[in-house]
Amino acid sequence: MPIKINVHEQNVGAFSKLRCLVSIFGIQCQEQTQDFVVNNLAKVRMHFRVQNQVSPLACNILALPLEDKNKVKVIVSCQDTDVPFHSTVMLDKWTQFGSKQNCDIVVDKFRTCLLNVIIFASKVDDFCPAKIYHDADFTDFNLSAAEGSVAVHRVILAAHSDVFRAMLSHEWKETTEGRIEIEGVTLQTLRYLKQYMYLRKLPDDGLKPLLLLASYYLIDDLKADCLSRLVLNYKSGEWSSLLEFAVENKLSELISAIMLVSSAVDLEDHQNVQVKKQKLAQ
C-alpha cells in the first residue's frame, strides 16, 4: 500500500493552510504527490517520500504559475518538521523544504506524520525600476513627514497606487505643489515605502506602519507582502499584540490571516479573536 495523504485545506486571500495527515505503510521506498491551487496564482505540488521504515519523511514542493505570463512568488512555512522553516520557493524545480524523523504515531509497520504547512502566493511585477532608485536629477514629487521628505518619481507612485494615480491625474493641491504631507508617519517609513516601490525590498522592522500606509493608499502588492511577513514571522505567544494592532486599525485581512496561520491559539485566545472580529464588524 502506498503512502496515504489526507489534507484539510483552508484559504484566506493569499494564504493557504494545509493540515496534512500522512500515513506510511510497509518498509519499501514509497512516494506520493498531491496538487493544490493557491490564491488562483500558483499550482503547488506537495511531494512526500520515504526510503524505508526507519528513514524520515521527506517533504518537497514544486510551484508553478497558473499562467505563463505571470511571475509568482511562493513562500512556504512549517513548524512541524525537524527544523522549522520559512523559505521562498523556486518556481522551476523541486525544493526539499523539510523532513520529519519522529512520527506522531508508530505502530509496527504503520507510521503517521502530522504537518501544518502554510503557503503564501502573490504576483511579482516586472516593473522594478532599481536603476533610478538613487536618481536625484529627475525626481518630480516628494513624500513628506514631519522630519523631512523623500524624493520620488510620479510615474513610480502612479504605477503602484491607484490613489496616487488619481491624485496625480487631477489638479489637486498636492499635484501642483509637487508634494504630499502624510500625517502620522515617520521619515523612515517613507524611506521604506520608496525602497519597496523601487527595489521590492521589505525592511526587517517597521512593518506595521508600512502596512497601514499600503492599506490607505491601496498599494496591494506591498500590503500582501507586509501581511505575509508579519504573520509568518510571529511566534507562539505573540499573537495578542498583533491582534490588538489589527483590530485598532480595522485590518480584517490581518485578523483572518492570524486565525488561519496560528496553530498555537488556545480556546481562550480563539474566543478573544472572535470577540475582536465582532468589534471590527460593528
Side-chain angles (χ1 to χ4, degrees):
M1 183 181 294
I3 296 175
K4 184 178 180 181
I5 307 172
N6 291 316
V7 179
H8 175 65
E9 184 178 8
Q10 294 176 274
N11 296 283
V12 173
F15 289 90
S16 180
K17 183 172 184 176
L18 307 177
R19 296 180 180 271
C20 305
L21 176 63
V22 185
S23 301
I24 306 167
F25 304 87
I27 61 175
Q28 70 276 19
C29 178
Q30 304 173 41
E31 57 186 308
Q32 186 65 267
T33 62
Q34 194 159 341
D35 293 347
F36 304 90
V37 174
V38 183
N39 200 23
N40 292 320
L41 291 176
K43 180 171 70 173
V44 175
R45 175 166 293 171
M46 305 285 291
H47 179 259
F48 300 96
R49 187 173 187 269
V50 290
Q51 294 284 0
N52 51 55
Q53 188 175 358
V54 296
S55 65
L57 172 72
C59 312
N60 300 275
I61 191 165
L62 175 67
L64 293 173
L66 288 182
E67 299 181 15
D68 293 338
K69 63 181 180 180
N70 287 337
K71 289 188 176 181
V72 180
K73 176 175 65 177
V74 179
I75 300 175
V76 181
S77 178
C78 183
Q79 299 298 310
D80 297 326
T81 50
D82 293 338
V83 178
F85 68 89
H86 173 197
S87 60
T88 302
V89 174
M90 302 297 292
L91 296 183
D92 59 351
K93 65 180 182 180
W94 283 108
T95 302
Q96 181 164 337
F97 66 88
S99 62
K100 190 168 183 178
Q101 179 70 58
N102 297 319
C103 296
D104 298 280
I105 298 175
V106 179
V107 179
D108 294 328
K109 296 180 180 181
F110 171 84
R111 289 186 290 161
T112 298
C113 292
L114 300 174
L115 298 171
N116 290 293
V117 182
I118 307 299
I119 305 174
F120 171 86
S122 64
K123 288 184 179 179
V124 176
D125 199 332
D126 286 330
F127 184 59
C128 186
K131 291 184 178 180
I132 59 173
Y133 177 66
H134 296 291
D135 168 67
D137 295 329
F138 295 96
T139 55
D140 52 6
F141 202 79
N142 285 278
L143 303 175
S144 299
E147 309 110 295
S149 299
V150 173
V152 294
H153 302 80
R154 295 182 188 223
V155 64
I156 304 301
L157 293 178
H160 282 277
S161 166
D162 288 340
V163 175
F164 282 128
R165 176 184 291 274
M167 179 190 303
L168 297 171
S169 300
H170 298 83
E171 293 298 321
W172 291 9
K173 175 184 175 182
E174 291 82 0
T175 306
T176 56
E177 291 182 353
R179 64 186 294 273
I180 179 174
E181 186 76 32
I182 302 179
E183 298 181 357
V185 301
T186 64
L187 181 60
Q188 185 61 63
T189 297
L190 295 182
R191 288 171 177 162
Y192 287 153
L193 175 62
K194 178 178 179 178
Q195 175 181 277
Y196 183 85
M197 290 192 296
Y198 286 73
L199 305 179
R200 287 286 181 176
K201 291 183 178 180
L202 283 178
D204 293 328
D205 53 15
L207 289 174
K208 289 180 179 179
L210 197 57
L211 173 58
L212 294 179
L213 204 58
S215 298
Y216 185 81
Y217 287 102
L218 303 182
I219 309 175
D220 293 336
D221 50 353
L222 174 57
K223 181 180 178 180
D225 283 348
C226 284
L227 281 171
S228 169
R229 181 74 66 85
L230 278 170
V231 172
L232 294 180
N233 283 359
Y234 259 70
K235 300 177 182 178
S236 175
E238 297 178 351
W239 296 108
S240 180
S241 62
L242 191 59
L243 279 169
E244 291 292 342
F245 167 77
V247 172
E248 181 180 351
N249 294 283
K250 301 186 184 300
L251 300 172
S252 57
E253 291 175 76
L254 180 56
I255 290 181
S256 297
I258 291 171
M259 294 181 67
L260 181 72
V261 171
S262 174
S263 59
V265 176
D266 58 22
L267 179 59
E268 181 179 356
D269 289 335
H270 180 73
Q271 292 172 342
N272 290 336
V273 171
Q274 297 299 328
V275 171
K276 294 176 188 299
K277 287 196 69 176
Q278 292 175 3
K279 290 181 179 179
L280 185 61
Q282 293 176 354

